[in-house]
């Protein structure tokens, strides 16, 4: 398994996903500002990987601080967290990762823990979150595998695989788990314009796993559904509202509507920390608007006329009514999602779910 990100003595090493599939190169971030740049520029991407990257960003910021006392360090921590929080607004895992390390720091600082011990503790937490992400993805995959057909074609959009996590993946983790159980399935991967995560990442990743994969243009999904070729669709998520509305890569909403029209189950796979119970519906999810150049240029070559207007929302929101199930490492959620999500959150808070 190629590491998407890794804590090293020199800093946090990131597989540069902007260079895939042609180059497997790494970027080393030696301070929190560089981690923020890596997240903003999508060198690392995917909700799960962003969450752990943010945690590592806070941890490396604290670990490499020169502050001589807790008051100065606390002021630095506020700056570190604000810098990382400003990188990408839609993925709730970003804020989860920041909060994990920030809250531990606050607890330790409140008891006047010596700074060297605080540094050791926050780094240990970031490393534990990395390991937990991989374990959660494997459990999520196991929970969802039997929802996929025993044979046939499964459609996915964007990349919700090992590259979007610390390993194994969410939507692709379910596909991997189904294949491991003997399902005879192949994958249709949408290209996912304009950043081409399907073209560059999903196709590359699944081929490395020897899972039969066909790349299709984003506007071909309806055609193949009409032909009866696609038996299920599964995607990841960047934020799931309390009612089940789901933000995912732009184009997901269209896939969900097509699935509904053709009677095809549409699944969302995401770890429990992608569910934001503080966001009541999808209408309250902030949608990131990215640079026009991602649309106007392909590999540095301009493909649009000068002066044309560009809109580039990075995500859309799929209403819960189109989602057949939400697969998490804690179990499979079904409609009505307001009730099932609230029940799972309550069980998690009470310790009933490990």
């Amino acid at each position: 398994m190629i590491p998407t990100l890794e804590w090293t003595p020199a800093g946090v090493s990131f597989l540069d996903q902007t260079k895939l599939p042609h180059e497997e190169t790494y970027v080393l971030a030696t301070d929190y500002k560089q981690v923020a740049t890596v997240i903003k520029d999508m060198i690392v991407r995917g909700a799960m990987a962003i969450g752990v990257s943010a945690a590592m960003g806070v941890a490396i910021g604290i670990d490499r601080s020169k502050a001589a006392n807790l008051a100065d360090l606390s002021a630095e921590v506020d700056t570190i967290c604000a810098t990382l929080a400003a990188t990408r607004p839609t993925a709730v895992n970003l804020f989860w990762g920041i909060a994990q390390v920030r809250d531990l720091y606050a607890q330790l600082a409140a008891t006047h823990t010596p700074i060297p011990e605080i540094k050791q503790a926050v780094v240990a937490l970031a490393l534990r979150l990395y390991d937990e992400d991989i374990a959660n993805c494997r459990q999520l995959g196991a929970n969802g595998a039997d929802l996929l057909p025993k044979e046939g074609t499964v459609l996915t959009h964007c990349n919700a695989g090992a590259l979007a996590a610390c390993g194994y993946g969410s939507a692709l983790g379910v596909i991997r788990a189904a294949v491991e159980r003997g399902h005879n399935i192949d994958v249709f991967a949408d290209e996912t314009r304009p950043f081409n995560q399907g073209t560059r990442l999903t196709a590359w990743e699944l081929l490395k796993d020897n899972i039969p994969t066909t790349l299709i243009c984003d506007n071909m999904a309806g055609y193949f559904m009409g032909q009866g070729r696609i038996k299920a669709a599964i995607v990841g998520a960047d934020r799931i509202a309390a009612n089940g509305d789901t933000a995912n890569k732009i184009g997901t909403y269209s896939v969900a509507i097509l699935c509904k029209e053709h009677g095809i189950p549409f699944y969302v796979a995401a770890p429990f920390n992608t569910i934001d119970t503080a966001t009541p519906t999808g209408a309250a999810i902030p949608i990131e608007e990215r640079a026009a150049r991602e649309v106007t240029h392909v590999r540095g070559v301009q493909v649009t006329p000068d002066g044309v207007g560009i809109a580039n929302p990075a995500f859309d929101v799929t209403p819960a009514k189109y989602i057949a199930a939400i697969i998490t490492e804690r179990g499979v959620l079904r409609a009505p999602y307001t009730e099932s999500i609230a029940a799972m959150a309550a069980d998690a808070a009470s310790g009933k779910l490990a």
Side-chain angles (χ1 to χ4, degrees):
M1 184 173 64
I2 294 176
T4 306
L5 62 148
E6 186 176 21
W7 184 280
T8 75
V12 186
S13 177
F14 295 93
L15 175 64
D16 189 346
Q17 298 192 34
T18 66
K19 301 292 180 60
L20 292 174
H22 303 300
E23 297 178 37
E24 294 180 25
T25 60
Y26 291 82
V27 171
L28 182 68
T30 60
D31 59 39
Y32 75 90
K33 293 180 181 177
Q34 291 177 357
V35 173
T37 298
V38 162
I39 296 171
K40 181 67 175 177
D41 291 350
M42 294 178 70
I43 290 169
V44 68
R45 30 70 52 204
M48 298 161 288
I50 288 172
V52 176
S53 297
M56 288 188 175
V58 180
I60 199 170
I62 294 172
D63 186 51
R64 302 202 170 182
S65 170
K66 303 299 184 184
N69 56 69
L70 283 176
D72 289 346
L73 181 55
S74 293
E76 281 191 40
V77 170
D78 289 343
T79 300
I80 291 166
C81 293
T83 300
L84 289 160
T87 54
R88 302 200 65 196
T90 302
V92 73
N93 307 65
L94 172 78
F95 306 99
W96 170 86
I98 293 168
Q100 294 295 303
V101 181
R102 183 194 62 217
D103 291 353
L104 175 61
Y105 170 80
Q107 293 168 16
L108 296 173
T111 57
H112 305 287
T113 303
I115 288 177
E117 292 182 26
I118 290 176
K119 291 182 175 183
Q120 184 177 24
V122 296
V123 171
L125 173 58
L127 294 173
R128 178 167 62 82
L129 294 177
Y130 176 93
D131 292 336
E132 288 178 356
D133 181 74
I134 297 173
N136 287 343
C137 285
R138 289 190 177 276
Q139 184 59 55
L140 185 159
N143 290 345
D146 287 339
L147 295 177
L148 297 187
K150 296 296 184 183
E151 60 180 343
T153 299
V154 177
L155 175 72
T156 191
H157 187 74
C158 194
N159 173 265
L163 292 171
C166 297
Y168 206 72
S170 55
L172 298 194
V174 174
I175 291 171
R176 286 188 170 94
V179 170
E180 290 166 5
R181 293 185 183 187
H183 292 215
N184 182 26
I185 56 178
D186 65 290
V187 177
F188 268 13
D190 278 346
E191 60 182 349
T192 322
R193 281 280 294 148
F195 210 71
N196 291 318
Q197 293 95 326
T199 303
R200 298 184 299 103
L201 306 178
T202 295
W204 178 82
E205 184 176 326
L206 290 177
L207 288 176
K208 275 189 168 290
D209 271 5
N210 296 313
I211 296 174
T213 303
T214 300
L215 181 69
I216 63 172
C217 297
D218 291 347
N219 54 5
M220 295 178 182
Y223 168 81
F224 286 110
M225 289 182 190
Q227 298 293 310
R229 178 72 183 271
I230 295 170
K231 305 303 181 185
I234 186 165
V235 300
D238 286 82
R239 187 182 305 216
I240 301 171
N243 71 338
D245 293 349
T246 296
N248 193 50
K249 187 54 56 183
I250 191 74
T252 301
Y253 180 29
S254 303
V255 171
I257 291 173
L258 286 167
C259 284
K260 182 70 171 181
E261 176 65 23
H262 291 89
I264 297 167
F266 176 88
Y267 300 115
V268 170
F272 182 72
N273 61 22
T274 306
I275 299 173
D276 182 10
T277 55
T279 298
T281 72
I285 297 175
I287 300 299
E288 176 185 2
E289 181 78 22
R290 292 190 60 82
R293 187 179 175 87
E294 290 179 359
V295 176
T296 61
H297 289 66
V298 176
R299 290 293 179 183
V301 178
Q302 185 169 330
V303 295
T304 58
D306 290 333
V308 68
I310 300 295
N312 187 19
F315 304 93
D316 56 27
V317 176
T318 298
K321 64 182 180 181
Y322 295 118
I323 300 171
I326 298 172
I327 306 160
T328 80
E329 79 278 13
R330 296 180 181 273
V332 177
L333 296 163
R334 301 276 190 176
Y337 291 109
T338 300
E339 296 176 11
S340 60
I341 287 173
M344 182 175 285
D347 285 345
S350 66
K352 291 181 181 179
L353 294 174

PDB file of all heavy atoms in Angstrom, residues 188-214:
ATOM      1  N   PHE A 188     -16.916   0.925 -13.189  1.00  0.00           N
ATOM      2  CA  PHE A 188     -16.926   2.065 -14.093  1.00  0.00           C
ATOM      3  C   PHE A 188     -16.527   3.286 -13.260  1.00  0.00           C
ATOM      4  O   PHE A 188     -17.162   3.582 -12.245  1.00  0.00           O
ATOM      5  CB  PHE A 188     -18.319   2.292 -14.687  1.00  0.00           C
ATOM      6  CG  PHE A 188     -18.557   1.595 -15.996  1.00  0.00           C
ATOM      7  CD1 PHE A 188     -17.705   0.623 -16.473  1.00  0.00           C
ATOM      8  CD2 PHE A 188     -19.660   1.924 -16.765  1.00  0.00           C
ATOM      9  CE1 PHE A 188     -17.935  -0.019 -17.680  1.00  0.00           C
ATOM     10  CE2 PHE A 188     -19.912   1.303 -17.973  1.00  0.00           C
ATOM     11  CZ  PHE A 188     -19.038   0.322 -18.434  1.00  0.00           C
ATOM     12  N   ALA A 189     -15.487   3.959 -13.666  1.00  0.00           N
ATOM     13  CA  ALA A 189     -15.025   5.154 -12.966  1.00  0.00           C
ATOM     14  C   ALA A 189     -15.325   6.385 -13.805  1.00  0.00           C
ATOM     15  O   ALA A 189     -14.846   6.494 -14.936  1.00  0.00           O
ATOM     16  CB  ALA A 189     -13.523   5.059 -12.689  1.00  0.00           C
ATOM     17  N   ASP A 190     -16.139   7.306 -13.270  1.00  0.00           N
ATOM     18  CA  ASP A 190     -16.354   8.592 -13.933  1.00  0.00           C
ATOM     19  C   ASP A 190     -15.039   9.371 -13.949  1.00  0.00           C
ATOM     20  O   ASP A 190     -14.292   9.368 -12.963  1.00  0.00           O
ATOM     21  CB  ASP A 190     -17.394   9.419 -13.173  1.00  0.00           C
ATOM     22  CG  ASP A 190     -18.822   9.032 -13.512  1.00  0.00           C
ATOM     23  OD1 ASP A 190     -19.024   8.321 -14.501  1.00  0.00           O
ATOM     24  OD2 ASP A 190     -19.726   9.452 -12.773  1.00  0.00           O
ATOM     25  N   GLU A 191     -14.792  10.118 -15.018  1.00  0.00           N
ATOM     26  CA  GLU A 191     -13.548  10.894 -15.089  1.00  0.00           C
ATOM     27  C   GLU A 191     -13.475  11.981 -14.014  1.00  0.00           C
ATOM     28  O   GLU A 191     -12.409  12.319 -13.522  1.00  0.00           O
ATOM     29  CB  GLU A 191     -13.389  11.520 -16.475  1.00  0.00           C
ATOM     30  CG  GLU A 191     -14.509  12.464 -16.853  1.00  0.00           C
ATOM     31  CD  GLU A 191     -14.366  13.034 -18.263  1.00  0.00           C
ATOM     32  OE1 GLU A 191     -13.303  12.869 -18.875  1.00  0.00           O
ATOM     33  OE2 GLU A 191     -15.331  13.650 -18.743  1.00  0.00           O
ATOM     34  N   THR A 192     -14.614  12.566 -13.652  1.00  0.00           N
ATOM     35  CA  THR A 192     -14.710  13.566 -12.586  1.00  0.00           C
ATOM     36  C   THR A 192     -13.981  14.866 -12.941  1.00  0.00           C
ATOM     37  O   THR A 192     -13.016  15.270 -12.296  1.00  0.00           O
ATOM     38  CB  THR A 192     -14.207  13.031 -11.230  1.00  0.00           C
ATOM     39  OG1 THR A 192     -14.587  11.661 -11.066  1.00  0.00           O
ATOM     40  CG2 THR A 192     -14.800  13.835 -10.093  1.00  0.00           C
ATOM     41  N   ARG A 193     -14.470  15.502 -13.979  1.00  0.00           N
ATOM     42  CA  ARG A 193     -13.969  16.830 -14.334  1.00  0.00           C
ATOM     43  C   ARG A 193     -14.378  17.856 -13.261  1.00  0.00           C
ATOM     44  O   ARG A 193     -15.387  17.660 -12.599  1.00  0.00           O
ATOM     45  CB  ARG A 193     -14.570  17.242 -15.697  1.00  0.00           C
ATOM     46  CG  ARG A 193     -13.896  16.606 -16.885  1.00  0.00           C
ATOM     47  CD  ARG A 193     -12.615  17.309 -17.265  1.00  0.00           C
ATOM     48  NE  ARG A 193     -12.887  18.661 -17.752  1.00  0.00           N
ATOM     49  CZ  ARG A 193     -12.058  19.680 -17.593  1.00  0.00           C
ATOM     50  NH1 ARG A 193     -10.917  19.513 -16.960  1.00  0.00           N
ATOM     51  NH2 ARG A 193     -12.359  20.870 -18.054  1.00  0.00           N
ATOM     52  N   PRO A 194     -13.619  18.944 -13.055  1.00  0.00           N
ATOM     53  CA  PRO A 194     -12.450  19.323 -13.852  1.00  0.00           C
ATOM     54  C   PRO A 194     -11.114  18.845 -13.298  1.00  0.00           C
ATOM     55  O   PRO A 194     -10.100  18.973 -13.973  1.00  0.00           O
ATOM     56  CB  PRO A 194     -12.502  20.849 -13.800  1.00  0.00           C
ATOM     57  CG  PRO A 194     -13.046  21.137 -12.439  1.00  0.00           C
ATOM     58  CD  PRO A 194     -14.061  20.052 -12.165  1.00  0.00           C
ATOM     59  N   PHE A 195     -11.098  18.270 -12.081  1.00  0.00           N
ATOM     60  CA  PHE A 195      -9.810  17.895 -11.495  1.00  0.00           C
ATOM     61  C   PHE A 195      -9.411  16.467 -11.842  1.00  0.00           C
ATOM     62  O   PHE A 195      -8.315  16.034 -11.552  1.00  0.00           O
ATOM     63  CB  PHE A 195      -9.846  18.092  -9.980  1.00  0.00           C
ATOM     64  CG  PHE A 195      -8.508  18.428  -9.384  1.00  0.00           C
ATOM     65  CD1 PHE A 195      -7.917  19.672  -9.608  1.00  0.00           C
ATOM     66  CD2 PHE A 195      -7.832  17.518  -8.595  1.00  0.00           C
ATOM     67  CE1 PHE A 195      -6.677  19.983  -9.057  1.00  0.00           C
ATOM     68  CE2 PHE A 195      -6.599  17.824  -8.042  1.00  0.00           C
ATOM     69  CZ  PHE A 195      -6.014  19.058  -8.276  1.00  0.00           C
ATOM     70  N   ASN A 196     -10.359  15.732 -12.446  1.00  0.00           N
ATOM     71  CA  ASN A 196     -10.062  14.405 -13.010  1.00  0.00           C
ATOM     72  C   ASN A 196      -9.573  13.383 -11.987  1.00  0.00           C
ATOM     73  O   ASN A 196      -8.663  12.599 -12.253  1.00  0.00           O
ATOM     74  CB  ASN A 196      -9.048  14.526 -14.155  1.00  0.00           C
ATOM     75  CG  ASN A 196      -9.638  15.215 -15.368  1.00  0.00           C
ATOM     76  OD1 ASN A 196     -10.778  14.955 -15.744  1.00  0.00           O
ATOM     77  ND2 ASN A 196      -8.885  16.106 -15.973  1.00  0.00           N
ATOM     78  N   GLN A 197     -10.223  13.355 -10.818  1.00  0.00           N
ATOM     79  CA  GLN A 197      -9.828  12.373  -9.818  1.00  0.00           C
ATOM     80  C   GLN A 197     -10.109  10.947 -10.279  1.00  0.00           C
ATOM     81  O   GLN A 197      -9.384  10.019  -9.927  1.00  0.00           O
ATOM     82  CB  GLN A 197     -10.547  12.640  -8.493  1.00  0.00           C
ATOM     83  CG  GLN A 197     -10.133  13.927  -7.810  1.00  0.00           C
ATOM     84  CD  GLN A 197     -11.050  15.079  -8.131  1.00  0.00           C
ATOM     85  OE1 GLN A 197     -11.581  15.162  -9.235  1.00  0.00           O
ATOM     86  NE2 GLN A 197     -11.260  15.972  -7.177  1.00  0.00           N
ATOM     87  N   GLY A 198     -11.188  10.763 -11.053  1.00  0.00           N
ATOM     88  CA  GLY A 198     -11.461   9.429 -11.575  1.00  0.00           C
ATOM     89  C   GLY A 198     -10.453   9.017 -12.620  1.00  0.00           C
ATOM     90  O   GLY A 198      -9.936   7.898 -12.622  1.00  0.00           O
ATOM     91  N   THR A 199     -10.161   9.940 -13.524  1.00  0.00           N
ATOM     92  CA  THR A 199      -9.204   9.680 -14.596  1.00  0.00           C
ATOM     93  C   THR A 199      -7.823   9.378 -14.052  1.00  0.00           C
ATOM     94  O   THR A 199      -7.170   8.400 -14.446  1.00  0.00           O
ATOM     95  CB  THR A 199      -9.109  10.912 -15.521  1.00  0.00           C
ATOM     96  OG1 THR A 199     -10.406  11.229 -16.024  1.00  0.00           O
ATOM     97  CG2 THR A 199      -8.170  10.657 -16.674  1.00  0.00           C
ATOM     98  N   ARG A 200      -7.343  10.222 -13.142  1.00  0.00           N
ATOM     99  CA  ARG A 200      -5.962  10.141 -12.699  1.00  0.00           C
ATOM    100  C   ARG A 200      -5.748   9.205 -11.514  1.00  0.00           C
ATOM    101  O   ARG A 200      -4.686   8.599 -11.391  1.00  0.00           O
ATOM    102  CB  ARG A 200      -5.449  11.541 -12.311  1.00  0.00           C
ATOM    103  CG  ARG A 200      -5.430  12.545 -13.442  1.00  0.00           C
ATOM    104  CD  ARG A 200      -4.819  13.877 -13.010  1.00  0.00           C
ATOM    105  NE  ARG A 200      -5.579  14.499 -11.913  1.00  0.00           N
ATOM    106  CZ  ARG A 200      -5.197  14.502 -10.648  1.00  0.00           C
ATOM    107  NH1 ARG A 200      -4.059  13.925 -10.285  1.00  0.00           N
ATOM    108  NH2 ARG A 200      -5.951  15.085  -9.717  1.00  0.00           N
ATOM    109  N   LEU A 201      -6.757   9.122 -10.641  1.00  0.00           N
ATOM    110  CA  LEU A 201      -6.542   8.474  -9.354  1.00  0.00           C
ATOM    111  C   LEU A 201      -7.283   7.148  -9.213  1.00  0.00           C
ATOM    112  O   LEU A 201      -6.667   6.119  -8.928  1.00  0.00           O
ATOM    113  CB  LEU A 201      -6.938   9.427  -8.224  1.00  0.00           C
ATOM    114  CG  LEU A 201      -6.255  10.801  -8.255  1.00  0.00           C
ATOM    115  CD1 LEU A 201      -6.758  11.673  -7.109  1.00  0.00           C
ATOM    116  CD2 LEU A 201      -4.740  10.665  -8.208  1.00  0.00           C
ATOM    117  N   THR A 202      -8.611   7.165  -9.398  1.00  0.00           N
ATOM    118  CA  THR A 202      -9.378   5.927  -9.208  1.00  0.00           C
ATOM    119  C   THR A 202      -8.947   4.853 -10.194  1.00  0.00           C
ATOM    120  O   THR A 202      -8.730   3.692  -9.816  1.00  0.00           O
ATOM    121  CB  THR A 202     -10.883   6.208  -9.333  1.00  0.00           C
ATOM    122  OG1 THR A 202     -11.282   7.071  -8.261  1.00  0.00           O
ATOM    123  CG2 THR A 202     -11.692   4.928  -9.277  1.00  0.00           C
ATOM    124  N   ALA A 203      -8.814   5.216 -11.469  1.00  0.00           N
ATOM    125  CA  ALA A 203      -8.395   4.234 -12.464  1.00  0.00           C
ATOM    126  C   ALA A 203      -7.015   3.674 -12.117  1.00  0.00           C
ATOM    127  O   ALA A 203      -6.776   2.457 -12.179  1.00  0.00           O
ATOM    128  CB  ALA A 203      -8.392   4.870 -13.849  1.00  0.00           C
ATOM    129  N   TRP A 204      -6.100   4.550 -11.736  1.00  0.00           N
ATOM    130  CA  TRP A 204      -4.739   4.138 -11.378  1.00  0.00           C
ATOM    131  C   TRP A 204      -4.746   3.203 -10.177  1.00  0.00           C
ATOM    132  O   TRP A 204      -4.094   2.151 -10.172  1.00  0.00           O
ATOM    133  CB  TRP A 204      -3.922   5.396 -11.092  1.00  0.00           C
ATOM    134  CG  TRP A 204      -2.515   5.184 -10.662  1.00  0.00           C
ATOM    135  CD1 TRP A 204      -1.426   4.938 -11.461  1.00  0.00           C
ATOM    136  CD2 TRP A 204      -2.008   5.233  -9.320  1.00  0.00           C
ATOM    137  NE1 TRP A 204      -0.288   4.832 -10.711  1.00  0.00           N
ATOM    138  CE2 TRP A 204      -0.609   5.007  -9.386  1.00  0.00           C
ATOM    139  CE3 TRP A 204      -2.599   5.448  -8.080  1.00  0.00           C
ATOM    140  CZ2 TRP A 204       0.203   4.985  -8.256  1.00  0.00           C
ATOM    141  CZ3 TRP A 204      -1.787   5.435  -6.945  1.00  0.00           C
ATOM    142  CH2 TRP A 204      -0.417   5.203  -7.043  1.00  0.00           C
ATOM    143  N   GLU A 205      -5.521   3.583  -9.157  1.00  0.00           N
ATOM    144  CA  GLU A 205      -5.539   2.819  -7.912  1.00  0.00           C
ATOM    145  C   GLU A 205      -6.133   1.435  -8.096  1.00  0.00           C
ATOM    146  O   GLU A 205      -5.588   0.429  -7.616  1.00  0.00           O
ATOM    147  CB  GLU A 205      -6.334   3.614  -6.873  1.00  0.00           C
ATOM    148  CG  GLU A 205      -6.372   3.008  -5.505  1.00  0.00           C
ATOM    149  CD  GLU A 205      -7.092   3.895  -4.493  1.00  0.00           C
ATOM    150  OE1 GLU A 205      -7.006   5.137  -4.595  1.00  0.00           O
ATOM    151  OE2 GLU A 205      -7.738   3.331  -3.600  1.00  0.00           O
ATOM    152  N   LEU A 206      -7.259   1.344  -8.806  1.00  0.00           N
ATOM    153  CA  LEU A 206      -7.913   0.050  -8.976  1.00  0.00           C
ATOM    154  C   LEU A 206      -7.115  -0.870  -9.889  1.00  0.00           C
ATOM    155  O   LEU A 206      -7.087  -2.091  -9.681  1.00  0.00           O
ATOM    156  CB  LEU A 206      -9.331   0.249  -9.524  1.00  0.00           C
ATOM    157  CG  LEU A 206     -10.328   0.877  -8.539  1.00  0.00           C
ATOM    158  CD1 LEU A 206     -11.674   1.091  -9.215  1.00  0.00           C
ATOM    159  CD2 LEU A 206     -10.495   0.013  -7.289  1.00  0.00           C
ATOM    160  N   LEU A 207      -6.473  -0.313 -10.897  1.00  0.00           N
ATOM    161  CA  LEU A 207      -5.630  -1.142 -11.754  1.00  0.00           C
ATOM    162  C   LEU A 207      -4.469  -1.741 -10.970  1.00  0.00           C
ATOM    163  O   LEU A 207      -4.063  -2.883 -11.213  1.00  0.00           O
ATOM    164  CB  LEU A 207      -5.111  -0.328 -12.936  1.00  0.00           C
ATOM    165  CG  LEU A 207      -6.142   0.018 -14.014  1.00  0.00           C
ATOM    166  CD1 LEU A 207      -5.528   0.915 -15.077  1.00  0.00           C
ATOM    167  CD2 LEU A 207      -6.717  -1.247 -14.656  1.00  0.00           C
ATOM    168  N   LYS A 208      -3.942  -0.983 -10.006  1.00  0.00           N
ATOM    169  CA  LYS A 208      -2.872  -1.510  -9.159  1.00  0.00           C
ATOM    170  C   LYS A 208      -3.369  -2.698  -8.331  1.00  0.00           C
ATOM    171  O   LYS A 208      -2.583  -3.586  -7.980  1.00  0.00           O
ATOM    172  CB  LYS A 208      -2.328  -0.413  -8.245  1.00  0.00           C
ATOM    173  CG  LYS A 208      -1.259   0.450  -8.894  1.00  0.00           C
ATOM    174  CD  LYS A 208      -0.619   1.365  -7.876  1.00  0.00           C
ATOM    175  CE  LYS A 208       0.641   2.019  -8.445  1.00  0.00           C
ATOM    176  NZ  LYS A 208       1.752   1.072  -8.617  1.00  0.00           N
ATOM    177  N   ASP A 209      -4.658  -2.719  -8.020  1.00  0.00           N
ATOM    178  CA  ASP A 209      -5.248  -3.817  -7.259  1.00  0.00           C
ATOM    179  C   ASP A 209      -5.792  -4.927  -8.159  1.00  0.00           C
ATOM    180  O   ASP A 209      -6.437  -5.866  -7.681  1.00  0.00           O
ATOM    181  CB  ASP A 209      -6.385  -3.296  -6.372  1.00  0.00           C
ATOM    182  CG  ASP A 209      -5.894  -2.841  -5.013  1.00  0.00           C
ATOM    183  OD1 ASP A 209      -4.666  -2.843  -4.800  1.00  0.00           O
ATOM    184  OD2 ASP A 209      -6.725  -2.491  -4.162  1.00  0.00           O
ATOM    185  N   ASN A 210      -5.584  -4.787  -9.458  1.00  0.00           N
ATOM    186  CA  ASN A 210      -6.067  -5.783 -10.435  1.00  0.00           C
ATOM    187  C   ASN A 210      -7.581  -5.943 -10.405  1.00  0.00           C
ATOM    188  O   ASN A 210      -8.115  -7.036 -10.630  1.00  0.00           O
ATOM    189  CB  ASN A 210      -5.375  -7.136 -10.206  1.00  0.00           C
ATOM    190  CG  ASN A 210      -3.879  -7.073 -10.446  1.00  0.00           C
ATOM    191  OD1 ASN A 210      -3.431  -6.527 -11.447  1.00  0.00           O
ATOM    192  ND2 ASN A 210      -3.108  -7.617  -9.524  1.00  0.00           N
ATOM    193  N   ILE A 211      -8.282  -4.852 -10.117  1.00  0.00           N
ATOM    194  CA  ILE A 211      -9.747  -4.849 -10.201  1.00  0.00           C
ATOM    195  C   ILE A 211     -10.132  -4.287 -11.561  1.00  0.00           C
ATOM    196  O   ILE A 211      -9.742  -3.169 -11.897  1.00  0.00           O
ATOM    197  CB  ILE A 211     -10.356  -4.013  -9.062  1.00  0.00           C
ATOM    198  CG1 ILE A 211     -10.018  -4.652  -7.703  1.00  0.00           C
ATOM    199  CG2 ILE A 211     -11.867  -3.866  -9.228  1.00  0.00           C
ATOM    200  CD1 ILE A 211     -10.453  -3.839  -6.503  1.00  0.00           C
ATOM    201  N   PRO A 212     -10.861  -5.041 -12.381  1.00  0.00           N
ATOM    202  CA  PRO A 212     -11.184  -4.583 -13.733  1.00  0.00           C
ATOM    203  C   PRO A 212     -11.899  -3.231 -13.701  1.00  0.00           C
ATOM    204  O   PRO A 212     -12.905  -3.067 -13.003  1.00  0.00           O
ATOM    205  CB  PRO A 212     -12.096  -5.680 -14.274  1.00  0.00           C
ATOM    206  CG  PRO A 212     -11.767  -6.882 -13.463  1.00  0.00           C
ATOM    207  CD  PRO A 212     -11.416  -6.378 -12.100  1.00  0.00           C
ATOM    208  N   THR A 213     -11.374  -2.268 -14.436  1.00  0.00           N
ATOM    209  CA  THR A 213     -11.863  -0.897 -14.365  1.00  0.00           C
ATOM    210  C   THR A 213     -11.968  -0.296 -15.761  1.00  0.00           C
ATOM    211  O   THR A 213     -11.047  -0.439 -16.568  1.00  0.00           O
ATOM    212  CB  THR A 213     -10.917  -0.026 -13.511  1.00  0.00           C
ATOM    213  OG1 THR A 213     -10.792  -0.614 -12.213  1.00  0.00           O
ATOM    214  CG2 THR A 213     -11.444   1.388 -13.369  1.00  0.00           C
ATOM    215  N   THR A 214     -13.098   0.370 -16.006  1.00  0.00           N
ATOM    216  CA  THR A 214     -13.321   1.084 -17.260  1.00  0.00           C
ATOM    217  C   THR A 214     -13.561   2.548 -16.936  1.00  0.00           C
ATOM    218  O   THR A 214     -14.425   2.870 -16.118  1.00  0.00           O
ATOM    219  CB  THR A 214     -14.539   0.521 -18.016  1.00  0.00           C
ATOM    220  OG1 THR A 214     -14.305  -0.858 -18.299  1.00  0.00           O
ATOM    221  CG2 THR A 214     -14.781   1.277 -19.315  1.00  0.00           C
TER     222      THR A 214
END
